[in-house]
């Protein structure tokens, strides 16, 4: 139970790291405060099931909610901590696979984006401003 919740929290943290790296890249490129990470956080929180189940959302929003790593992470943490079947519960394997895939994708995109932004900032000679 608790191990499942910890695994889900860890994978969600990896996904958040990727999003944060993308946000840092935006700051490097545009040299302005980043509005993307807070916007992402608000959308993820509202759609992922933090306040209400995503199943009550209209179809397109429900599909969008599944694109956020927080959605399967919250399902897995609830399942692990609230006794919803534990690691062998229905949908656990699917949620783990989706969360791991989204976390890997977010981290890869974040590393790629930050590397590109850092290279662009070096070429423009603006790193001394940070």
């Amino acid at each position: 139970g608790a191990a499942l919740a910890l695994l889900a929290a860890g994978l969600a943290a990896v996904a958040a790291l990727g999003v944060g790296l993308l946000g840092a890249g935006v700051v490097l490129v545009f040299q302005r405060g980043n509005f993307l990470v807070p916007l992402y956080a608000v959308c993820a929180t509202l759609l992922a099931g933090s306040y209400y189940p995503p199943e009550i959302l209209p179809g397109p929003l429900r599909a969008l909610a599944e694109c956020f790593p927080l959605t399967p992470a919250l399902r897995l943490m609830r399942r692990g901590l609230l006794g919803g079947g534990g690691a062998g519960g229905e949908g656990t394997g699917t949620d783990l696979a989706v969360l791991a895939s989204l976390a890997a994708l977010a981290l890869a995109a974040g590393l790629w984006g930050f590397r590109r932004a850092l290279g662009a900032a070096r070429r423009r000679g603006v790193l001394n401003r940070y």
Side-chain angles (χ1 to χ4, degrees):
L4 178 63
L6 284 173
L7 178 61
L11 288 170
V14 168
L17 175 64
V19 172
L21 284 170
L22 279 174
V26 168
V27 170
L28 280 176
V29 169
F30 295 107
Q31 299 174 5
R32 300 249 184 258
N34 183 5
F35 69 92
L36 293 177
V37 172
L39 178 65
Y40 173 86
V42 167
C43 291
T45 303
L46 288 175
L47 295 175
S50 299
Y51 300 116
Y52 46 81
E55 293 78 24
I56 68 168
L57 294 171
L61 288 178
R62 191 176 322 127
L64 181 61
E66 293 299 326
C67 296
F68 291 101
L70 188 57
T71 304
L74 287 174
R75 279 195 300 258
L76 288 166
M77 286 189 266
R78 286 183 183 119
R79 197 173 294 136
L81 295 175
L82 301 177
E90 185 179 334
T92 299
T94 302
D95 280 340
L96 270 174
V98 168
L99 178 56
S101 298
L102 289 173
L105 181 65
L107 184 60
L111 288 169
W112 176 82
F114 185 75
R115 189 175 303 132
R116 298 259 327 211
L118 189 58
R122 281 184 182 144
R123 283 189 298 280
R124 288 192 332 248
V126 296
L127 285 179
N128 62 347
R129 296 180 185 167
Y130 296 101

